[in-house]
Amino acid sequence: MRKASDADFMRRALRLALRGRGHTRPNPDVGAVIVRAGRIVGEGWHRRAGGDHAEVAALKCAARRGESVGGATMYVTLEPCSKPGRVGACTDAIAAAGIGRVVYGVADPNPKNRGRAARVLARSGIVCELFSGDAQLTGELKSLVAAFAKLVTTSLPFVTVKIAMSLDGRICDFEGGARWISSEKSRRETGLLRNEVDAIMVGAETVRRDNPMLLPHGRPNPDLVRVVVSRSGRLPKDAQVFSDGKNETLVFSDAEEAVRELGRRGMKHILCEGGMELAVSLAEAGLVDEWLTVLAPVVIGRRRIESAVRGKAVAEVLRLVSGDAFYKARLS
């Protein structure tokens, strides 16, 4: 049997960190694994701001299991914090527990704190080193904290714009209808993405025409905030985002101000789902970090969406045989 490597344990820490997505703002999503004699003895992740950081959660997990962590190695997706905030500094907890080595996936994006953990832990004789050797995993670790990095360095959230488009480049039919260009499978994928962000933003026309709920599919996420941008403020009071009694809905008159205010509120990641005018206004303000284009194998032309022609032959050529194609473009 192959011996587990640093990359194996770091990948486990990454999977743990992903469990906190959509719940930790304004803090980063972090996972930690403690390994002693080649065996995982404790693990944890940051669940929400004000709660245990991943490192402390992993130490408590080991204690509950009755495991010793003396001389063990801790793998953590982000450089441990070295200054107390709402909770104590993780470097203090690591030193007190007797951990022998720390391997972290990404340096703290805050220049004031970057590299400080190694200096602090060295005083206790603890080796603290940056993970290396697996380029793909390193990329995933950096992506994990991209939204947090933008917030902590610019005070702005990371913005993803999602656009569903037909093969002939249309995002709606000739009557303005956009429901549904993408397939049911694609909508499920979008529903999962909604569980990983802090806010979903749409324009007023999307609310008027489609009356969306703007909620995740499956497990509810009470931490998610819905955002509507309306210059006039004239919105139907019976729209689901206002009347369903579920997640909070905020209304702004300007898209740029909405993004800046959400950043002030500590939101790290915004998903903009509609419509094109809103997407263009965000792009022109230089606020879009990522475009997610869903290319559906349909040709709308002058038809209504429900009678659009399915471009099966074209879809097969483009290898869209499983449905829609997702194209992600990171701008920063």
Side-chain angles (χ1 to χ4, degrees), residues 53 55-56 59 80-96 116 120-121:
H53 287 187
E55 298 91 326
V56 173
L59 290 169
C81 66
S82 52
K83 295 180 180 179
R86 293 176 66 179
V87 297
C90 289
T91 50
D92 291 344
I94 290 168
R116 194 170 185 272
V120 170
L121 291 173

Side-chain angles (χ1 to χ4, degrees), residues 189-200:
E189 292 288 334
T190 298
L192 294 174
L193 178 58
R194 288 175 178 178
N195 238 327
E196 299 179 357
V197 301
D198 299 307
I200 297 174

Side-chain angles (χ1 to χ4, degrees), residues 87-266:
V87 297
C90 289
T91 50
D92 291 344
I94 290 168
I99 294 289
R101 173 180 176 238
V102 173
V103 180
Y104 61 92
V106 180
D108 191 322
N110 188 337
K112 295 180 180 179
N113 299 324
R114 187 179 299 126
R116 194 170 185 272
R119 297 193 297 272
V120 170
L121 291 173
R123 299 170 193 159
S124 300
I126 301 171
V127 175
C128 182
E129 58 192 60
L130 179 65
F131 172 77
S132 62
D134 188 317
Q136 179 179 344
L137 179 53
T138 297
E140 293 176 24
L141 291 165
K142 289 180 178 178
S143 180
L144 175 69
V145 297
F148 172 73
K150 186 180 181 188
L151 181 66
V152 79
T153 56
T154 69
S155 298
L156 292 171
F158 188 94
V159 177
T160 297
V161 174
K162 178 242 176 184
I163 297 289
M165 183 182 299
S166 68
L167 287 174
D168 55 340
R170 295 180 180 271
I171 65 167
C172 62
D173 60 26
F174 71 99
E175 293 183 331
R179 190 176 180 156
W180 300 98
I181 290 178
S182 56
S183 66
E184 183 178 348
K185 180 181 178 182
S186 295
R187 295 194 292 274
R188 286 198 300 270
E189 292 288 334
T190 298
L192 294 174
L193 178 58
R194 288 175 178 178
N195 238 327
E196 299 179 357
V197 301
D198 299 307
I200 297 174
M201 179 184 291
V202 298
E205 198 61 24
T206 297
V207 173
R208 296 187 190 108
R209 286 185 179 277
D210 297 342
N211 191 23
M213 292 182 68
L214 303 180
L215 294 174
H217 297 172
R219 188 179 73 240
N221 179 2
D223 297 317
L224 180 70
V225 174
R226 301 175 289 195
V227 179
V228 180
V229 178
S230 172
R231 291 177 181 173
S232 69
R234 293 192 297 271
L235 294 163
K237 294 181 179 179
D238 59 349
Q240 292 188 97
V241 292
F242 302 121
S243 63
D244 62 10
K246 296 181 180 178
N247 294 47
E248 180 183 14
T249 299
L250 303 175
V251 178
F252 294 91
S253 60
D254 178 78
E256 183 173 354
E257 176 53 32
V259 171
R260 296 188 183 281
E261 176 58 26
L262 294 175
R264 286 190 285 268
R265 296 187 183 207

Side-chain angles (χ1 to χ4, degrees), residues 66-82:
E67 298 279 5
S68 170
V69 299
T73 296
M74 175 180 284
Y75 298 87
V76 58
T77 56
L78 182 66
E79 179 181 358
C81 66
S82 52

